[in-house]
Amino acid sequence: MSSLLTALATAGPLAAGWSVHTVWLRRSLRSARRDPLTGLRTREGFTRRANVLLKDPRAVVVLADVDHFKQINDTHGHAAGDALLKATADRLAHYVGRDGVAGRLGGDEFAAVVIDTHGTIGDLLAVLHGVLARPADGVDLAVRATVSLGWVGAADHPGEDLSGLLRRADEAMYTAKQARAGVRRAGLGKLLATLSGRRAGRRGSALAGPGDAA
């Protein structure tokens, strides 16, 4: 009996220590999947949740990109740029809510997947575009920026994975940016030429030069 009590007494602290270590690991994993500036999911965390949502045919993939962000950083400083990114992320997360997912893919580029329950996604994104253009709190009013949005419905391209839908949303976003249209839906035709899943000249493409900016 004394041997059993001794073993239990020894195992107790070990079990407690392992439990604490497990909690720490879980928290570390959650932190690693969150962008430290905006609090949004990173690409990995976003992809995990987005793939689950895409099982619903009503899912819509949205890509958002801050217009002329490099110019804002160069003119007003990185603190202003960071505040703008944080505001954009907060507003996008609020729009997406708990039933969708938003993530920061890198730089000034954000993505979201939402479920178009009522078939009104076009109208809702038009409203979101206006919200994203509002000045960020605590930033000089001279720092004004718009955000171009591209979107695609999963049902328009059945069987296409997240990567393909993001490319389509990316092309629609680029068209909206060039036309200063604000929001653009992806067409039903073939994808334009891409390299490594990115349009030539975009961040992440081998053809993008160091001075290229959206």
Side-chain angles (χ1 to χ4, degrees):
M1 177 65 71
S2 59
S3 298
L4 177 60
L5 290 175
T6 301
L8 289 174
T10 304
L14 290 175
W18 178 250
S19 178
V20 171
H21 182 65
T22 301
V23 171
W24 177 82
L25 282 175
R26 289 175 179 173
R27 289 178 177 175
S28 297
L29 284 173
R30 283 197 295 268
S31 298
R33 292 172 184 162
R34 293 284 176 177
D35 174 56
L37 174 63
T38 65
L40 292 184
R41 296 179 187 234
T42 59
R43 184 181 293 271
E44 179 187 359
F46 169 78
T47 299
R48 287 173 178 268
R49 178 61 178 155
N51 281 326
V52 173
L53 293 173
L54 285 174
K55 295 177 181 178
D56 189 324
R58 300 169 299 171
V60 171
V61 176
V62 182
L63 199 72
D65 192 273
V66 180
D67 299 326
H68 311 297
F69 182 70
K70 184 178 184 301
Q71 181 179 339
I72 293 171
N73 261 343
D74 291 344
T75 304
H76 301 283
H78 288 280
D82 286 350
L84 180 59
L85 291 178
K86 184 68 168 61
T88 299
D90 289 346
R91 292 163 184 173
L92 183 61
H94 179 76
Y95 164 79
V96 168
R98 294 183 178 181
D99 296 330
V101 63
R104 184 185 181 194
L105 301 187
D108 58 318
E109 186 175 72
F110 301 88
V113 176
V114 295
I115 305 300
D116 186 15
T117 306
H118 303 292
T120 56
I121 190 67
D123 294 334
L124 292 174
L125 287 176
V127 173
L128 175 64
H129 178 259
V131 171
L132 293 176
R134 295 174 184 171
D137 293 338
V139 178
D140 192 320
L141 291 178
V143 183
R144 300 295 298 272
T146 56
V147 177
S148 294
L149 302 171
W151 65 278
V152 59
D156 293 340
H157 304 278
E160 193 151 302
D161 63 9
L162 175 62
S163 179
L165 292 172
L166 280 172
R167 288 198 298 270
R168 292 184 183 277
D170 180 58
E171 290 181 356
M173 183 278 300
Y174 181 74
T175 301
K177 187 184 291 286
Q178 294 297 100
R180 298 182 180 180
V183 184
R184 182 65 61 92
R185 181 179 185 175
L188 300 178
K190 294 182 178 180
L191 280 165
L192 299 176
T194 61
L195 183 67
S196 299
R198 307 296 293 151
R199 214 175 39 252
R202 295 277 291 157
R203 286 177 300 275
S205 164
L207 298 183
D212 291 341

